[in-house]
Amino acid sequence: MDVNHQHTWKCRDREFILGDRALVMGILNLTPDSFSDGGRHMAVDDAERAALEMIEQGADIIDLGGESTRPGAQPVSTGEELRRVMPVVERLAGRPGFVLSVDTTKSEVAAAALQGGAHIINDVSALTNDPAMADVVRRYGAGLVLMHMRGSPANMQNDPRYLDVVGEVSAFLRARIDTAVGAGIAAEQVVVDPGIGFGKNLDHNLALLRAIPAIAARCARPVLIGASRKRLIGDLTGRSVGDRLAGSLALMSYAILRGARIIRVHDVKESCDTARMLATLGKLEDA
Ligand code: HH2
């Protein structure tokens, strides 16, 4: 594959050229505990405010999620996921500067969100949960994140084991790209994600971060990393989830220096500053 393809990510009418700076995807969780308990309408207002703030702070993409995928989380119904996600998609889609990603494994949610103007489907099941998902992504020419997960959020942290975590995760992602392309999705629509914390212990996560160049080479597509505030940062720093900003930025910097091109984060302002600094410092290195 032409190496230049690795620098382009086609998401409907938006084409990201992945240059010196990593793209920042800001996380907007629409799960009931995320926002005000003042009912749906207030929750939509809160979500809009949070999204506007992230765009002002420099986010390239907003990732909307209506189903928690934290370890131990239980699935939600399609109807409930649609009720959480769609009012926010409708409020935000089409605004200048907004590129919306929807974190879902369900084709019905994906189809409604794309119909409503979203650009990207972030499928943490890598098209394995819903056989109709690939066709929805193909029809809209949407961007697609294919992520590796071992098991399901309900059971994935029960003593995960691999013989060769980097080899197995890379082979899985490569095979999922082949499936997507076989279903008519262009390779340029796809980015891959080793799924930090999804059925992996601390050593597995660190091995995968170190192996970003190998994963990128095997898949010939950009790598996305989501490690913001995750448990491995707690394991390494001893900090609680609300106190992991420095750890998150350090981990993100390492991931970018290893070649990650898209970073999924909670703390957009600080992450954008970090990504900008690394882009400039990286150019000094090359000079
Ligand atoms: N992590 C989470 C959710 N979605 N998507 C991708 N592509 N990569 C990730 O690493 C990833 C993801 C879980 O993190 P968080 O958003 O903090 O939790 P929750 O989904 O439970 O709100």
Side-chain angles (χ1 to χ4, degrees):
M1 182 180 280
D2 180 345
V3 77
N4 285 329
H5 285 171
Q6 295 183 41
H7 301 302
T8 306
W9 186 20
K10 285 194 177 149
C11 308
R12 306 185 70 173
D13 59 342
R14 281 299 311 262
E15 183 167 315
F16 287 108
I17 307 297
L18 300 169
D20 299 319
R21 181 180 64 76
L23 296 181
V24 173
M25 177 186 257
I27 301 169
L28 187 48
N29 282 321
L30 306 173
T31 45
D33 51 347
S34 319
F35 288 104
S36 85
D37 48 12
R40 297 248 180 227
H41 188 68
M42 273 177 65
V44 176
D45 289 346
D46 286 350
E48 179 182 26
R49 215 170 296 125
L52 285 169
E53 192 181 349
M54 284 197 272
I55 293 291
E56 271 163 29
Q57 291 176 341
D60 299 285
I61 300 163
I62 305 282
D63 189 40
L64 304 172
E67 176 173 40
S68 178
T69 49
R70 284 197 193 111
Q74 297 301 316
V76 300
S77 70
T78 303
E80 177 58 22
E81 204 179 321
L82 284 167
R83 277 190 291 279
R84 292 178 186 178
V85 170
M86 285 314 295
V88 181
V89 170
E90 279 155 15
R91 186 77 71 90
L92 299 179
R95 295 197 188 187
F98 272 68
V99 176
L100 297 183
S101 161
V102 177
D103 188 343
T104 187
T105 64
K106 300 185 182 82
S107 64
E108 269 186 71
V109 176
L114 293 169
Q115 180 64 33
H119 285 83
I120 296 165
I121 299 303
N122 174 18
D123 183 353
V124 299
S125 84
L127 306 176
T128 66
N129 183 60
D130 184 335
M133 183 64 110
D135 199 52
V136 169
V137 172
R138 179 196 62 75
R139 251 185 7 246
Y140 286 89
L144 175 64
V145 183
L146 295 174
M147 195 196 80
H148 175 273
M149 165 162 47
R150 169 66 62 83
S152 68
N155 64 24
M156 65 192 178
Q157 288 308 111
N158 299 342
D159 191 22
R161 285 172 197 234
Y162 300 82
L163 283 175
D164 165 14
V165 68
V166 171
E168 287 170 49
V169 169
S170 307
F172 170 86
L173 292 172
R174 180 67 250 176
R176 299 317 297 162
I177 294 173
D178 293 344
T179 300
V181 170
I185 295 168
E188 291 74 17
Q189 289 169 248
V190 178
V191 302
V192 294
D193 179 349
I196 298 302
F198 284 84
K200 285 114 191 165
N201 66 26
L202 178 61
D203 288 344
H204 298 143
N205 288 320
L206 294 176
L208 288 166
L209 289 164
R210 184 168 174 274
I212 291 170
I215 297 168
R218 180 82 190 267
C219 294
R221 291 301 302 149
V223 173
L224 181 153
I225 293 289
S228 179
R229 300 184 188 171
K230 281 189 178 169
R231 184 191 300 176
L232 81 156
I233 297 164
D235 290 345
L236 293 170
T237 61
R239 303 289 183 197
S240 64
V241 69
D243 199 14
R244 294 180 185 164
L245 176 57
S248 297
L249 295 174
L251 200 73
M252 176 188 136
S253 300
Y254 179 70
I256 291 174
L257 293 171
R258 297 298 285 169
R261 313 304 302 274
I262 306 139
I263 298 290
R264 184 180 180 275
V265 300
H266 299 91
D267 302 289
V268 168
K269 177 170 151 246
E270 294 83 354
S271 300
C272 285
D273 284 356
T274 305
R276 271 191 214 111
M277 289 295 295
L278 288 167
T280 304
L281 296 171
K283 269 192 256 170
L284 293 181
E285 288 255 305
D286 294 341

